[in-house]
Structures are given as C-alpha cells and as structure tokens.
Amino acid sequence: LMRSSAASDVYKRQEEAGTLQVGYGSDTVERTSYSSVQWQKDGISYLLMSFETPMTEEQLVEMASEVME
C-alpha cells in the first residue's frame, strides 16, 4: 500500500465511495472482490452481496428483482 498523505486521501475517497474496504489488525494483505446491489422498498433497506463469484451486475440485479417479488 502507498504510504503518503496523497495515498491516504485516495484510499479515504475509495472507502467513502464503497470501492475499497480496509480492515485492521493483521499484517497479512488479503484482496477480495465483491459486488453488491442495494435498494429500498416500502421503507426497508436491502443489500445483496456476492463475494468472489463471477456474477455480473446484471445477474445481481436480476436476483434482487426476484427478492422484491
């Protein structure tokens, strides 16, 4: 990981945008990819996440549509 205030700013913006998640407590770097779809219906918030799967955005949205039915 980069060690500068500019890098820290980049990481902070990525965390805020939801494109980077940083965990603390280990010296081991682990990279995991995930996708998510989030929506609200009738005042309830839903979040569907997929970790380390080859699902496309379209497939996640299709699954979300099935949940909403």
Side-chain angles (χ1 to χ4, degrees), residues 13-69:
R13 284 193 304 273
Q14 289 175 332
E15 280 187 287
E16 290 169 354
T19 59
L20 176 68
Q21 183 177 7
V22 177
Y24 301 93
S26 173
D27 291 340
T28 304
V29 174
E30 181 181 332
R31 296 182 185 265
T32 303
S33 62
Y34 71 94
S35 301
S36 65
V37 177
Q38 184 175 359
W39 71 98
Q40 290 186 348
K41 181 179 178 184
D42 300 327
I44 300 173
S45 295
Y46 296 87
L47 176 62
L48 179 62
M49 299 179 78
S50 171
F51 290 87
E52 297 292 333
T53 60
M55 294 183 72
T56 65
E57 179 181 345
E58 292 80 17
Q59 289 171 314
L60 279 175
V61 170
E62 184 178 327
M63 286 179 71
S65 296
E66 291 174 12
V67 170
M68 292 189 315
E69 293 177 352

Side-chain angles (χ1 to χ4, degrees), residues 1-8 10-11 14:
L1 296 175
M2 295 183 280
R3 303 267 188 228
S4 70
S5 79
S8 296
V10 169
Y11 293 145
Q14 289 175 332

